[in-house]
Amino acid sequence: MPRDLFPNRQSQELTLTESPEAKTPRPNASQDQEQLPSNAFTIVRDESEDREQQMSNRLRRSDEKNKLHPYVQLLSISDLEACVALEAATFPEHERCSREKFIYRLTTCPTLSLGLFSSTTTLPTPATQAAFDAARPPDSSTPSHRAVLLGHVISTLTDAPAVTDASMEIPKDFPPHPEHLPTTSPSSTDSVEILGHRPLGRTIAIHSVCVLPTHQNLGLGKTLLKAYMQRMESSGIADRIALLAHPELVGWYVGKFGFEERGESKATFGGGGWREMVCTKLFLCWRE
């Protein structure tokens, strides 16, 4: 499920500044006139310091992001170990996509999943060791480089208008080859939603959006999801994109990507309590 990707909001410090209303007593002031004490202060916000701090944080994040030289690329079954490692590093166990689900999604509908990579020769830290171990050379001409998966979006298609428990499952008769999957959607008389990916479904069900914790707060989540939504819009493969979000992430999806909150989801995955998010405006005017 989607992870917290937006930068931590810095606490806004307050600066004590002498109030323009503070006045020293006048020698000729009458006793019955109300006088303010000479040490009267009021708390006002120093907006210039706020702006300078915001600019400094933005430049720092931009510099760190540029050093990564990130690029997006469609995922395949060869990225299985990297996806499993990233998911394990980002989500609590009860919210993770299982290895079996990764195998199913990366073989059945790999064109619906996108990875954010960084080609690097930098030695890993303890926090990035698992991701580095799962990395592979980006191409045969640069074997010393490693294509480290920093983030991914994992999705399937569904007939439902939103993400459901059924859309997140694997068909019980999951075959080894995706060409054996059924190619027709269930009829309107079907009372039970078919499990898993529906090739003719018109809703993209996003099951995972995440960024490696050591690389969060750099704007990579926005870059990844923006690139993903633009690809899906240009492909014409669906009419909408849907996902489940924790309540504290609703504002991020609404404000940055134009999702609409449709209330509490009926999905019980990971203990439930999700908010149902749907975006029908795939071509968006992106906001900072």
Side-chain angles (χ1 to χ4, degrees):
M1 289 299 101
R3 171 57 58 202
D4 187 349
L5 303 177
F6 56 83
N8 294 325
R9 293 180 174 83
Q10 301 294 329
S11 59
Q12 296 180 324
E13 297 183 354
L14 299 178
T15 303
L16 283 175
T17 306
E18 184 174 2
S19 168
E21 298 299 324
K23 302 176 182 178
T24 57
R26 297 189 304 274
N28 58 350
S30 62
Q31 294 296 325
D32 60 345
Q33 287 179 319
E34 182 179 358
Q35 298 180 359
L36 292 175
S38 60
N39 62 342
F41 285 85
T42 186
I43 297 177
V44 297
R45 190 177 305 282
D46 191 330
E47 298 292 347
S48 63
E49 288 191 7
D50 284 348
R51 288 193 294 270
E52 289 175 4
Q53 185 63 44
Q54 291 171 4
M55 181 62 70
S56 175
N57 291 338
R58 180 173 297 182
L59 290 175
R60 176 187 58 79
R61 291 195 298 267
S62 178
D63 184 55
E64 293 179 14
K65 181 178 176 181
N66 289 336
K67 290 178 181 178
L68 295 172
H69 302 291
Y71 62 94
V72 294
Q73 182 174 301
L74 290 177
L75 296 170
S76 69
I77 192 62
S78 64
D79 299 302
L80 173 63
E81 297 304 326
C83 289
V84 171
L86 175 60
E87 196 89 356
T90 309
F91 294 107
E93 186 173 359
H94 66 285
E95 292 183 8
R96 296 174 192 165
C97 174
S98 67
R99 175 181 294 272
E100 292 72 25
K101 288 183 178 180
F102 272 123
I103 293 174
Y104 172 68
R105 292 164 184 168
L106 293 177
T107 55
T108 303
C109 48
T111 57
L112 293 174
S113 295
L114 190 67
L116 181 73
F117 293 86
S118 174
S119 180
T120 180
T121 57
T122 304
L123 293 176
T125 64
T128 61
Q129 186 67 57
F132 191 90
D133 290 343
R136 53 185 173 83
D139 56 68
S140 58
S141 63
T142 56
S144 63
H145 286 66
R146 306 284 287 180
V148 180
L149 182 65
L150 301 180
H152 66 215
V153 178
I154 307 295
S155 309
T156 61
L157 287 175
T158 178
D159 297 294
V163 178
T164 62
D165 283 323
S167 69
M168 289 185 277
E169 292 300 327
I170 302 175
K172 295 180 180 180
D173 58 345
F174 170 50
H177 300 292
E179 59 265 27
H180 295 163
L181 289 171
T183 57
T184 58
S185 298
S187 67
S188 58
T189 58
D190 290 338
S191 57
V192 179
E193 184 181 352
I194 296 179
L195 304 181
H197 173 63
R198 303 302 303 151
L200 299 184
R202 296 297 297 175
T203 299
I204 296 171
I206 294 181
H207 304 298
S208 179
V209 180
C210 65
V211 171
L212 195 65
T214 53
H215 290 72
Q216 292 179 5
N217 302 330
L218 299 178
L220 296 176
K222 179 182 175 182
T223 297
L224 173 60
L225 192 53
K226 173 182 175 180
Y228 182 82
M229 294 179 72
Q230 288 177 332
R231 281 173 177 254
M232 295 302 104
E233 187 276 333
S234 62
S235 73
I237 197 171
D239 300 321
R240 66 191 66 84
I241 294 179
L243 55 81
L244 302 180
H246 286 298
E248 62 270 20
L249 284 175
V250 168
W252 189 72
Y253 286 110
V254 172
K256 299 294 185 182
F257 304 98
F259 278 85
E260 298 177 4
E261 182 185 7
R262 300 287 178 85
E264 185 172 355
S265 171
K266 296 180 180 179
T268 59
F269 173 83
W274 304 99
R275 307 305 295 178
E276 186 175 286
M277 309 297 295
V278 178
C279 180
T280 56
K281 301 174 291 185
L282 298 189
F283 186 74
L284 302 173
C285 178
W286 307 101
R287 308 170 192 174
E288 293 297 329

